[in-house]
């Protein structure tokens, strides 16, 4: 499943880069993330709670940042596991300055396993889109 | 396939049920016919701490007329709706839609209030609710409020209902004169869910032009929607095969269709057009014969 899009954050590139690399900002801004703990350099352990209508549950997993090119781009790798299955994903973030604002361009691929893959793909995709939007809204006000 | 542990309540009155959902808020799930919630719980995709079974509240299972409105209690099963003379007379679109839901077991157990509250993107009723300009009534311990169908469905399985509220009834306004309606859907063969479903109501004026058309589409996007662009193309025009085809082409304009293992986005968009055209043709034929 491909996830891609772009969002404009009303802050300079340098600021957006700092926010994206600050675990306390990420913990606050990432929808559903309850805890984000450092687990080595550029690696975090995360626990996530989600609720979409009657469907709810929790995941635990990790996020890894790599190929950092401050303040322009980085790669993200994630994997999480919960009762309804597992998600792994890899993608790229690019920060493009647009005057006083910054356009964040993201693209990546998610793989679903277990029940999630069997019955949940339509839900995961739209839940993921909504989460990404909420994340950028929250990032803008951090 | 065994649900996680939960605490179970079976209130006998709406007031008792409202007290329970107010006390337990977000941690409580309402159980009506159980055709959506129970499978989710068995898969542990839904793990509510408290289950409030409202199935014993008899006052919520009724179908009646009230000041020209058709009023359907939330616990009315799909079979109740499909077989009600009053529904067939006042809102035949709803009876036809109910008859297309799932299978016999689902129709015997599943309820209109449960389906609308759960708001599965592929559920059948939401399309008809939109096309009929229905009103949805929700009760809470602080009173009741009425939500227009066009404002009820917010997002994937997300409605205007708040924790602590219970959907109690659905109200359908009287149809305009010379109206016809129809529901046509592409069934997912295993589940019976709509890969695309179109509920249409058309009303004719005295010279046979389309006075107004309402098209509700389900199964295509994360939430059901009205095809307002297509409706506008039809209004005031003399019906013709070309007009119906042109308007049907537009039903999913501006909408981002769902894509999953059952159907791609392009397939859903195409199916929405085909089934909208079929529903329009059937509704027009009925309006011309005035058989609703």
């Amino acid at each position: 499943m491909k996830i891609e899009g772009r969002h404009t954050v009303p802050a300079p590139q340098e600021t957006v880069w700092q926010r994206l690399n600050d675990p306390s900002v990420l913990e606050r801004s990432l929808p559903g993330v309850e805890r984000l703990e450092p687990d080595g350099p550029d690696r975090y352990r995360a626990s996530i709670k989600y609720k979409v209508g009657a469907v709810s549950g929790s995941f635990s997993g990790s996020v890894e940042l790599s190929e950092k090119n401050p303040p322009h781009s980085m790669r993200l790798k994630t994997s999480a596991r919960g009762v309804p299955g597992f998600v792994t994903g890899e993608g790229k973030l690019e920060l493009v300055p647009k005057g006083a604002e910054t356009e964040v361009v993201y693209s990546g691929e998610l793989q679903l396993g277990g029940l999630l893959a069997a019955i949940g793909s339509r839900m995961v995709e739209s839940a993921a889109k909504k989460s990404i939007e909420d994340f950028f809204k929250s990032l803008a006000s951090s | 396939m065994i649900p996680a542990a939960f605490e179970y309540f079976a209130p006998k009155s709406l007031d008792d049920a409202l007290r329970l959902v107010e006390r337990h808020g977000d941690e409580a799930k309402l159980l009506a016919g159980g055709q959506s919630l129970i499978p989710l719980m068995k898969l542990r995709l839904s793990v509510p701490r408290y289950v409030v079974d409202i199935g014993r509240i008899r006052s919520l299972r009724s179908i009646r007329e009230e000041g020209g409105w058709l009023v359907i209690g939330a616990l009315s099963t799909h079979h109740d709706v499909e077989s009600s003379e009053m529904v067939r007379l006042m809102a035949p679109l709803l009876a036809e839609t109910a008859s297309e839901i799932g299978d016999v077991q689902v129709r015997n157990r599943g309820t209109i209030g449960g389906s609308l509250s759960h708001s599965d993107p592929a559920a059948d009723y939401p399309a008809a609710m939109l096309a009929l300009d229905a009103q949805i009534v929700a009760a809470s311990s602080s009173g009741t409020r009425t939500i227009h169908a066009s404002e009820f469905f917010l997002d994937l399985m997300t409605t205007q209902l708040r924790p602590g509220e219970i959907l109690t009834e659905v109200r359908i306004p009287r149809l305009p004169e010379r109206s016809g309606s129809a529901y046509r859907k592409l069934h997912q063969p295993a589940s019976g869910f709509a890969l695309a479903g179109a509920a249409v109501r058309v009303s004719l004026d005295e010279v046979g032009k389309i006075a107004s058309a309402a098209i509700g589409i389900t199964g295509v996007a994360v939430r059901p929607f009205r095809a307002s662009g297509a409706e506008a193309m039809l209004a005031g025009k003399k019906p013709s095969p070309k007009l119906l085809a042109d308007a049907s082409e537009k039903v999913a304009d501006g909408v981002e269709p769902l894509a999953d293992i059952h159907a791609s986005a392009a397939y859903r968009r195409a199916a929405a057009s085909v089934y909208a055209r079929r529903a329009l043709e059937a509704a027009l034929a009925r309006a011309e014969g005035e058989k609703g």
Side-chain angles (χ1 to χ4, degrees), chain A residues 22-119:
Chain A
D22 180 343
S24 66
V25 171
L26 294 178
E27 187 177 86
R28 267 202 315 274
S29 316
L30 283 165
V33 167
E34 295 215 306
R35 267 201 332 274
L36 195 72
E37 293 164 338
D39 182 30
D42 287 331
R43 211 183 131 84
Y44 304 98
R45 260 200 313 269
S47 54
I48 301 154
K49 269 206 158 150
Y50 62 90
K51 187 173 189 319
V52 181
V55 177
S56 60
S58 57
F59 278 101
S60 57
S62 65
V63 186
E64 208 180 321
L65 313 180
S66 63
E67 294 177 34
K68 280 184 166 183
N69 176 19
H72 304 289
S73 66
M74 63 169 129
R75 288 191 73 78
L76 261 158
K77 212 168 142 180
T78 179
S79 78
R81 183 172 283 277
V83 174
F86 61 87
V87 185
T88 58
E90 220 180 324
K92 189 175 183 183
L93 277 180
E94 269 177 279
L95 277 59
V96 184
K98 289 267 155 98
E101 304 189 321
T102 309
E103 188 174 51
V104 184
V105 184
Y106 60 90
S107 64
E109 185 96 25
L110 285 181
Q111 282 95 35
L112 308 178
L115 258 184
L116 269 183
I119 62 167

Side-chain angles (χ1 to χ4, degrees), chain A residues 53-54 56 84 119 122 129-130, chain B residues 45-46 120 155 157 222 256:
Chain A
S56 60
I119 62 167
R122 63 175 187 192
K129 274 189 195 143
K130 193 164 181 291
Chain B
L45 288 173
S46 187
D120 191 291
D155 202 339
M157 299 195 302
V222 288
E256 205 179 314

Side-chain angles (χ1 to χ4, degrees), chain A residues 122-123 126, chain B residues 115 118-124 126 155-158 193-197 217-224 258 260 268:
Chain A
R122 63 175 187 192
M123 296 181 193
S126 64
Chain B
S115 169
H118 182 60
S119 190
D120 191 291
D124 296 286
D155 202 339
L156 184 79
M157 299 195 302
T158 306
F193 272 116
L195 287 175
I217 303 286
T218 191
V220 175
V222 288
R223 62 184 178 117
L258 290 165
D260 57 23
R268 275 195 167 81

